[in-house]
Amino acid sequence: MILINLLPHREAARKRRLDLFNVSLGGAALAGGLLAGIIFLWYQTQISGQQGKNQVLQAEIKRFDAQIKDIASLEEEITALRARQQAVEDLQADRNLPVHLLTELVRQLPDGVYIATLRQENQNVTLQGVAQSQERVSELLRNFSSNTPWFSKPDLVEIVAGTVALTPRDQRRVANFTIRVRLTRAGEAEKARLAASATAPLVAVSAPVKK
């Protein structure tokens, strides 16, 4: 006996395939949604953790900024204290500067040079005097420049030829000069003296021996 299926089996198979496709599509969409949710939650966790770290870092930065300000204020106070200490030391050292000035001036004056006026402003000294010749003035400048640690930076401001009447009949030509020189403080003069004494043996050794 032959059985004939008169039902629309093709439409039923197509429907089954469509239902299976829809179920697969729905499962894939659900799996994709779950995966996307898991990834989103993971990123949110990472972002929250990083934001927490950033807040901690900002708090530490603020704390360090406050410490840096305190250190800067302390450094300013230390600098001010050092400046005051240096000022006090300079004042104590400068008390004897007039004595050194007059003593060293007497030592460095060549013969034939006379000081008429002397004016001191801080460490700048202005000398006005009379010399027998311009060569004596040049010698005085050389002495101030290289022969003493108490004077430095000599500057010839003016030199003018003049005459001096020794007697009504005896008049001699002289050179009226004005020199400006810097008076060195005691600490600086001591350093210069030590440096000169340290280099002196080297100069002596390098000097040629005369036969």
Side-chain angles (χ1 to χ4, degrees):
M1 177 178 164
I2 299 174
L3 297 177
I4 298 174
N5 186 7
L6 299 177
L7 294 175
H9 63 90
R10 293 181 179 176
E11 286 77 3
R14 186 182 300 112
K15 184 179 180 182
R16 286 195 301 271
R17 288 195 298 271
L18 182 61
D19 292 340
L20 182 60
F21 175 76
N22 289 332
V23 171
S24 300
L25 183 62
L30 181 60
L34 289 175
L35 182 61
I38 293 172
I39 294 174
F40 176 77
L41 291 176
W42 183 78
Y43 275 116
Q44 285 296 113
T45 304
Q46 295 295 322
I47 291 172
S48 299
Q50 188 62 44
Q51 288 178 348
K53 293 178 181 179
N54 292 340
Q55 291 178 356
V56 173
L57 289 175
Q58 289 177 357
E60 291 295 324
I61 289 171
K62 290 181 180 179
R63 185 170 65 86
F64 283 126
D65 287 339
Q67 291 179 357
I68 289 172
K69 290 181 180 178
D70 294 338
I71 292 172
S73 62
L74 287 176
E75 289 179 349
E76 292 178 356
E77 292 179 1
I78 291 172
T79 302
L81 288 175
R82 288 178 177 174
R84 293 175 186 173
Q85 181 182 1
Q86 186 64 40
V88 172
E89 291 177 355
D90 291 341
L91 288 175
Q92 291 179 350
D94 290 347
R95 289 185 304 176
N96 297 326
L97 278 182
V99 177
H100 294 299
L101 170 62
L102 297 177
T103 303
E104 200 65 23
L105 187 60
V106 172
R107 292 178 181 175
Q108 302 306 324
L109 279 181
D111 294 335
V113 177
Y114 307 93
I115 300 298
T117 61
L118 183 151
R119 184 173 68 254
Q120 179 184 359
E121 295 179 0
N122 296 327
Q123 291 180 257
N124 297 318
V125 180
T126 302
L127 305 173
Q128 292 180 339
V130 180
Q132 292 179 354
S133 64
Q134 295 183 1
E135 288 76 11
R136 300 301 175 102
V137 179
S138 300
E139 183 180 356
L140 177 61
L141 289 173
R142 286 194 299 270
N143 291 344
F144 284 157
S145 178
S146 59
N147 201 28
T148 174
W150 290 101
F151 294 112
S152 62
K153 299 179 181 179
D155 181 27
L156 179 61
V157 178
E158 183 183 30
I159 184 168
V160 180
T163 57
V164 173
L166 300 179
T167 63
R169 296 183 179 181
D170 186 7
Q171 292 186 355
R172 296 188 180 182
R173 296 181 62 84
V174 294
N176 299 312
F177 64 88
T178 301
I179 293 177
R180 186 178 295 113
V181 67
R182 182 179 180 273
L183 182 61
T184 307
R185 285 194 167 95
E188 299 174 357
E190 183 64 20
K191 290 179 182 179
R193 187 186 65 80
L194 293 176
S197 62
T199 56
L202 298 178
V203 175
V205 169
S206 61
V209 179
K210 296 182 180 180
K211 296 183 178 180

